[in-house]
Amino acid sequence: MSSLTPKQLKQYEDEGYVSPIEALSKDEAKEIREEIENIEKKWPSELDGLGRNYIHFISPVFDHVCHNPKILDAVESIIGKNILICGTTLFVKNPNEEGFVSFHQDAKYIGLEPHNWVTAWIAVTEANEENGCMRMWAGSHKDDLKYHNQKFDENNLLTRGQTVENVPINETKPVILKSGQMSLHHPKIVHGSGVNKSKDRRIGFVIQSYIGTNVEQVLGKMYVQLARGKDRYSYHKHVKRPLKLMDEEDILIRKKANEELSNIFYNGAKKVGKF
Ligand SMILES: O=C(O)CCC(=O)C(=O)O
């Protein structure tokens, strides 16, 4: 089933993203935040560095979000009915830290071809201009992939600090979301986000990305789950869904998936960053 309205689809087509979309209730978003904070308390380094990836492999709460029919209905409107989940990342910006995301295009280093995929950014906490919500350079998805400077800044939350320079900030639009809402963005849209200047955490749970089953990983191996429809291509390794938090077998799968992901993200890079 497709759920985006013609107006929402036109926004995606014209601007390269669509928001806000109602995805989860406020209570569901609260439950996700509690799951993160429970993991941080019980396993303090579990979500550090590479640990921000693939949390849906070790937590049934996050697994359920990825397979949420409301989210999938919106995703289906864009990439069709055969859908794989090929990765997730937590983008957390704590108050009093300097974390930011430089302007970049997701498709630059991710190796997913063709671009029949879409990224879902789910607001676990609200996201606004004060706490460093994403900003989209609307329409930039219509251009080719751009040159990215690799800066490796310490506070950049991207792997290589990949940066599209000279983005006209005045032409970028903030993606303001209430907790539980989401945005969907195109593989080639230029986007980034600033520092969190509020007194609370800003947490985004990002499914990056939902891919059509026809999408290949041209730089390495990908660990996926079927979210909807049929996978007639079998390009990727399929992984089981977690039944309990931090199951040992699931932890191992996550570790392997992360090793492969690092090979992909740092393919051809001169050095490796902290994520
Ligand atoms: O969470 C952020 O501020 C940026 C996330 C991002 O770049 C992405 O989801 O592609």
Side-chain angles (χ1 to χ4, degrees):
M1 203 177 104
S2 304
S3 67
L4 293 186
T5 62
K7 195 172 162 210
Q8 286 174 311
L9 282 171
K10 185 158 169 35
Q11 189 199 351
Y12 186 82
E13 213 173 284
D14 291 347
E15 304 196 4
Y17 73 104
V18 51
S19 79
I21 299 167
E22 303 303 326
L24 307 172
S25 68
K26 281 210 164 2
D27 283 348
E28 286 169 320
K30 189 163 163 268
E31 188 196 1
I32 298 172
R33 180 171 181 161
E34 285 166 0
E35 179 80 338
I36 293 169
E37 291 176 352
N38 174 41
I39 295 174
E40 287 173 333
K41 207 161 137 202
K42 286 201 183 132
W43 298 278
S45 53
E46 193 60 35
L47 303 181
D48 293 349
L50 283 179
R52 71 179 185 165
N53 302 318
Y54 295 118
I55 194 173
H56 67 298
F57 284 169
I58 55 156
S59 157
V61 170
F62 280 93
D63 169 74
H64 280 120
V65 177
C66 296
H67 291 266
N68 179 309
K70 244 182 167 174
I71 297 175
L72 292 173
D73 287 346
V75 168
E76 182 173 332
S77 308
I78 294 173
I79 65 168
K81 62 182 175 13
N82 297 311
I83 304 172
L84 301 172
I85 301 154
C86 89
T88 60
T89 302
L90 277 170
F91 278 93
V92 178
K93 290 183 191 168
N94 291 318
N96 306 318
E97 290 179 3
E98 298 297 313
F100 73 99
V101 173
S102 52
F103 282 102
H104 66 285
Q105 292 167 301
D106 294 341
K108 185 74 180 177
Y109 296 112
I110 212 166
L112 296 170
E113 308 278 348
H115 293 158
N116 183 32
W117 47 278
V118 66
T119 299
W121 198 102
I122 296 164
V124 178
T125 62
E126 66 179 280
N128 51 45
E129 292 195 76
E130 190 193 9
N131 71 9
C133 65
M134 285 197 293
R135 297 192 74 89
M136 298 285 168
W137 185 5
S140 57
H141 65 298
K142 292 182 180 163
D143 292 343
D144 292 337
L145 285 176
K146 296 179 188 298
Y147 172 75
H148 286 57
N149 203 353
Q150 299 183 34
K151 295 183 150 180
F152 289 93
D153 328 55
E154 203 191 318
N155 294 314
N156 197 328
L157 303 183
L158 297 181
T159 47
R160 322 170 174 219
Q162 59 266 41
T163 306
V164 174
E165 307 280 13
N166 303 321
V167 171
I169 303 295
N170 294 344
E171 288 176 35
T172 64
K173 296 188 183 174
V175 185
I176 295 170
L177 298 170
K178 296 190 184 120
S179 63
Q181 291 182 328
M182 72 169 178
S183 59
L184 293 175
H185 67 260
H186 188 279
K188 286 200 296 175
I189 189 164
V190 176
H191 62 289
S193 68
V195 171
N196 177 5
K197 294 189 177 132
S198 78
K199 293 193 167 61
D200 194 10
R201 318 179 85 178
R202 191 226 67 170
I203 305 176
F205 174 54
V206 187
I207 299 155
Q208 57 178 30
S209 295
Y210 284 110
I211 65 174
T213 50
N214 63 326
V215 175
E216 289 189 74
Q217 174 48 261
V218 298
L219 299 176
K221 208 160 95 187
M222 210 86 224
Y223 287 60
V224 304
Q225 287 172 346
L226 185 66
R228 187 169 272 187
K230 287 206 167 65
D231 181 3
R232 294 198 175 85
Y233 295 87
S234 300
Y235 288 143
H236 313 283
K237 184 169 169 53
H238 280 252
V239 168
K240 72 178 182 64
R241 297 177 61 180
L243 297 175
K244 67 177 178 79
L245 181 61
M246 292 286 279
D247 176 76
E248 270 182 33
E249 193 188 342
D250 295 333
I251 291 173
L252 274 179
I253 292 171
R254 176 161 110 117
K255 190 165 172 281
K256 283 201 186 117
N258 254 324
E259 284 164 9
E260 295 291 345
L261 190 67
S262 282
N263 291 338
I264 292 166
F265 278 157
Y266 290 107
N267 183 280
K270 288 205 179 74
K271 62 176 191 175
V272 173
K274 63 182 169 188
F275 294 110

